[in-house]
Amino acid sequence: MNKKAILIVLDSVGIGALADAAAYGDVGADTLGHIVASCHPQIPNMMNLGLGNIDAISFSSDVTAPQGCYGKLKEVSAGKDTTTGHWEIAGVQLARPFPTFPDGFPQDFIERFEQATGRGTLGNKPASGTAILDELGEEHIATGKLIVYTSADSVFQIAANEEVVPVAELYRYCEIAREMLTGDLEVGRVIARPFVGEKAGAFKRTGNRRDFSAVPPTTMLDLLEQNGKTVYGVGKIEDIFCLRGITKSNHAAGNAKCMEATFAAMQEDFDGLLFVNLVDFDMVYGHRRDVEGYAKALETFDAQIPQIKALMGEDDILILTADHGCDPCHTGTDHTREHVPVLVWGKKLRGGVNLGIRETYADLSATVLDFFGIENTLKGTSMLPEMK
C-alpha cells in the first residue's frame, strides 16, 4: 500500500540558541520565541500539535493534550546555513563548515571568473541582497557588469537585471562559478539573484532565483530512491541536493506557490517522501528583519495545516521542522545558530508524545527511513518507535 511522509521545512524557524551559539555570535537568538513575544501570532494548529509544549522553550501554551508528537533538534554539523541544515536533516553531519568570505572572494578568483564569463563584476563583499541592488543596480545596468556578493553564510551570489542579463545566461554564469569554486573556495551554494526595475528604490528580486549547491554525499534521498520510493521535492529542495536522489520536482518559488504545489502533490498517487522547503520565512522576512511579516507568514502557514491533514491518507505522516534560525530580532541580518522544532502527526501515531531534545537533525532522516522500512546506514536515531 502506498504511503507518504510529508516533510515540510519552515526555512529559518529556529526555536532557541544552541549551546555553541557564542561561537557563531548568536547568544540569545530565538527566532520563534522573539516573534511570539513581539507579535503574538495566532498559530493554533501548530500549538495543538505541541509547539508550545516543547522542552525548554521561551514561550508556553495552554494546550494540555497535544494532538501531535513534539520536540526539538540540535544541529551537530558545523555551520548554520541552508545546505548544512538540509543535509543534516537528510542524514549527513559535516565536521567542517563550508568556507565564508567576510572580506570578499580572492581577487585572483574574481579575475578568473570575469575572464570565464566575459563580464566584469561589481561588489565582491558581504551585503544585504536588497541593499546591494540599490547601491550597485544602476551601475550594473549601465555597464553590464555582474553584481557579486556574499554574506555570513557560505554563498557566492550573482545578481543581474533580467533585461540586462537573460535568466538562462545568469544560470550559466552560476554554473561556471560552481565549477570554479573548489577546494578552499567550495562554498555551500552559488545563488542566482535575478531582479527587475530601472533605478535604486525600485529594484525587486524575482522568483527566478536558483541555488547551485555543492554536491552532497549519500543522503536519505539516495537510499529512498535506491529502494524504489518516490522522492518529490518542492521549492529549492532539488537545488540543495543537486537533484541527487530526487525523482520528481516542482521548483515553485515562495511559500504560496510551494504550498499550492504541496497540495497538488499530496493528491498524486505515489509511495515515498514529499520534501518541501518554504523559503519566504528566511528570504523575505528573516533576512530583512521583518518581524510582523514573519508573524503573518506563520499565521498563513498555520491556517493551511487542516488542509494538509485532510489530504493525508490513513498511513501517511506529517513532519514539520526547520533548517536553522534567522532571528529578525537578533543583531544583523544573517542566519542564527539555533535548535529547530519537530512536530509529527499521523492518523496512526500516538498524540501527546514528548520527543525531547534530540541530539541531531539526522533523527529526521532515520525516522523517515524507518517509516518506509529501509535500513538506516546514515546518522541519526529513529523517533518512530516512540510515536507508535
Side-chain angles (χ1 to χ4, degrees):
M1 180 181 294
N2 288 352
K3 61 182 182 180
K4 299 181 181 72
I6 302 109
L7 173 55
I8 302 179
V9 178
L10 311 183
D11 200 312
S12 86
V13 182
I15 197 165
L18 284 162
D20 63 356
Y24 297 83
D26 293 329
V27 172
D30 185 357
T31 301
L32 196 53
H34 287 149
I35 291 168
V36 169
S38 299
C39 300
H40 309 289
Q42 298 302 301
I43 47 176
N45 294 299
M46 283 190 281
M47 288 297 190
N48 284 334
L49 289 176
L51 184 64
N53 301 83
I54 295 172
D55 292 344
I57 57 172
S58 61
F59 59 96
S60 60
S61 168
D62 58 4
V63 176
T64 56
Q67 299 172 357
C69 306
Y70 54 90
K72 65 181 181 181
L73 308 163
K74 299 177 184 177
E75 185 168 24
V76 171
S77 300
K80 54 178 181 177
D81 59 273
T82 293
T83 302
T84 301
H86 279 76
W87 285 12
E88 187 166 328
I89 287 170
V92 174
Q93 296 172 349
L94 298 178
R96 186 170 71 94
F98 289 110
T100 56
F101 296 88
D103 299 316
F105 287 81
Q107 187 58 34
D108 66 326
F109 165 75
I110 293 296
E111 290 172 0
R112 288 188 290 114
F113 176 70
E114 290 178 340
Q115 184 175 11
T117 60
R119 287 184 183 266
T121 61
L122 304 169
N124 188 29
K125 61 183 180 180
S128 160
T130 50
I132 202 164
L133 297 186
D134 287 336
E135 178 187 349
L136 299 174
E138 292 180 9
E139 184 177 355
H140 157 73
I141 291 172
T143 65
K145 294 181 179 181
L146 302 171
I147 300 171
V148 300
Y149 64 106
T150 187
S151 72
D153 295 325
S154 182
V155 292
F156 180 75
Q157 303 183 87
I158 310 173
N161 188 287
E162 293 187 357
E163 294 295 321
V164 176
V165 179
V167 172
E169 188 173 348
L170 177 59
Y171 291 166
R172 185 171 65 84
Y173 296 153
C174 289
E175 290 171 346
I176 290 170
R178 181 72 275 173
E179 291 178 2
M180 294 175 65
L181 289 163
T182 59
D184 291 341
L185 300 180
E186 188 181 21
V187 294
R189 289 177 294 159
V190 175
I191 306 178
R193 295 288 196 179
F195 67 95
V196 294
E198 299 179 354
K199 64 173 78 173
F203 294 129
K204 183 178 180 181
R205 296 196 295 199
T206 74
N208 290 320
R209 163 191 171 153
R210 186 174 169 192
D211 295 28
F212 299 77
S213 287
V215 178
T218 298
T219 71
M220 74 165 170
L221 279 61
D222 299 297
L223 298 184
L224 289 165
E225 181 189 27
Q226 291 164 15
N227 283 273
K229 303 301 179 184
T230 295
V231 179
Y232 198 143
V234 172
K236 62 180 183 178
I237 295 297
E238 67 172 40
D239 293 342
I240 295 168
F241 292 93
C242 296
L243 289 171
R244 280 276 305 271
I246 305 286
T247 63
K248 189 169 185 178
S249 182
N250 185 325
H251 202 291
N255 285 9
K257 292 295 184 181
C258 284
M259 288 308 300
E260 287 179 15
T262 298
F263 293 137
M266 290 183 69
Q267 295 175 70
E268 295 183 27
D269 184 20
F270 67 87
D271 184 40
L273 173 67
L274 177 58
F275 198 174
V276 181
N277 174 278
L278 298 181
V279 70
D280 285 355
F281 296 113
D282 183 57
M283 183 178 71
V284 178
Y285 306 111
H287 286 301
R288 298 181 190 178
R289 298 176 61 83
D290 183 354
V291 184
E292 291 187 3
Y294 208 130
K296 290 176 181 176
L298 287 167
E299 290 181 336
T300 297
F301 172 74
D302 189 83
Q304 294 171 315
I305 290 176
Q307 186 175 352
I308 297 172
K309 293 168 71 174
L311 289 171
M312 290 173 62
E314 288 296 316
D315 297 301
D316 296 349
I317 62 168
L318 170 67
I319 304 172
L320 305 180
T321 192
D323 54 342
H324 50 70
C326 192
D327 186 350
C329 300
H330 193 59
T331 56
T333 61
D334 296 307
H335 294 160
T336 41
R337 177 79 170 174
E338 298 185 49
H339 297 86
V340 297
V342 56
L343 301 172
V344 188
W345 182 84
K347 295 178 181 179
K348 292 186 176 179
L349 296 181
R350 290 195 297 135
V353 177
N354 184 352
L355 298 168
I357 302 174
R358 315 297 298 195
E359 292 301 318
T360 172
Y361 291 6
D363 284 4
L364 295 169
S365 169
T367 301
V368 171
L369 293 172
D370 190 10
F371 177 68
F372 288 109
I374 298 171
E375 180 185 2
N376 178 29
T377 57
L378 306 171
K379 302 294 184 181
T381 302
S382 174
M383 298 178 283
L384 194 60
E386 301 172 47
M387 298 185 286
K388 286 185 175 179

